[in-house]
């Protein structure tokens, strides 16, 4: 079984910073890619940032230059550093991993963590 556990959400004023963390638990898998998604109130889930097993990153245009995705492979951890936060960044943030396990590729999701940015 593969499990993701997120932490680090909360309430912050516009212009502030937060750091989200995601730990990947489980055995017998290799990571293809990881990413952070968010779902604003009343809207669909969207990709915020992704990172491949080789370390290549990509970002949504709306967060480019403000957010940074990183991972610590030794600890099976992934992070999202969020700076210069805006009220429109308010959402539930989810970590996602695509893994190869027993010759199959599968997606797993964390439970989500709320980020609220006040104006």
């Amino acid at each position: 079984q593969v499990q993701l556990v997120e932490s680090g959400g909360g309430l912050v004023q516009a212009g502030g910073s937060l750091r989200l963390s995601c730990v990947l638990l489980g055995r017998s898998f290799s990571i293809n890619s990881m990413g952070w998604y968010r779902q604003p109130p009343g809207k669909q889930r969207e990709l915020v940032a992704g990172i491949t097993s080789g370390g290549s990153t990509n970002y949504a245009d709306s967060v480019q230059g403000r957010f940074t995705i990183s991972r610590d492979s030794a600890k099976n951890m992934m992070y999202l550093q969020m700076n210069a936060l805006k009220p429109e960044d308010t959402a539930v943030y989810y970590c996602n991993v695509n893994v190869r396990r027993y010759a199959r590729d599968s997606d797993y999701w964390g439970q989500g963590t709320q980020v609220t940015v006040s104006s």
Side-chain angles (χ1 to χ4, degrees):
Q1 185 69 14
V2 177
Q3 186 178 3
L4 298 171
V5 181
E6 300 132 340
S7 60
L11 173 64
V12 65
Q13 288 189 333
S17 298
L18 282 175
R19 188 194 195 205
L20 304 183
S21 299
C22 176
V23 60
L24 176 58
L25 305 174
R27 294 182 177 182
S28 304
F29 60 85
S30 60
I31 297 174
N32 294 323
S33 62
M34 300 184 76
W36 289 96
Y37 288 72
R38 68 185 180 188
Q39 187 164 15
K43 297 184 179 181
Q44 291 188 341
R45 193 174 297 188
E46 61 185 10
L47 175 67
V48 176
I51 185 166
T52 68
S53 58
S56 298
T57 59
N58 64 286
Y59 297 91
D61 290 343
S62 59
V63 307
Q64 183 76 43
R66 300 188 297 122
F67 290 11
T68 302
I69 188 171
S70 62
R71 60 180 289 196
D72 183 335
S73 299
K75 297 180 180 180
N76 272 350
M77 294 287 296
M78 180 177 64
Y79 307 96
L80 185 67
Q81 178 66 43
M82 305 185 294
N83 298 327
L85 282 160
K86 304 175 180 179
E88 51 263 42
D89 294 319
T90 295
V92 178
Y93 284 71
Y94 299 89
C95 65
N96 165 269
V97 64
N98 182 271
V99 305
R100 168 140 292 201
R101 188 167 183 258
Y102 302 129
R104 291 183 57 187
D105 291 338
S106 302
D107 274 307
Y108 294 90
W109 295 87
Q111 80 284 1
T113 185
Q114 177 70 47
V115 171
T116 302
V117 184
S118 63
S119 57

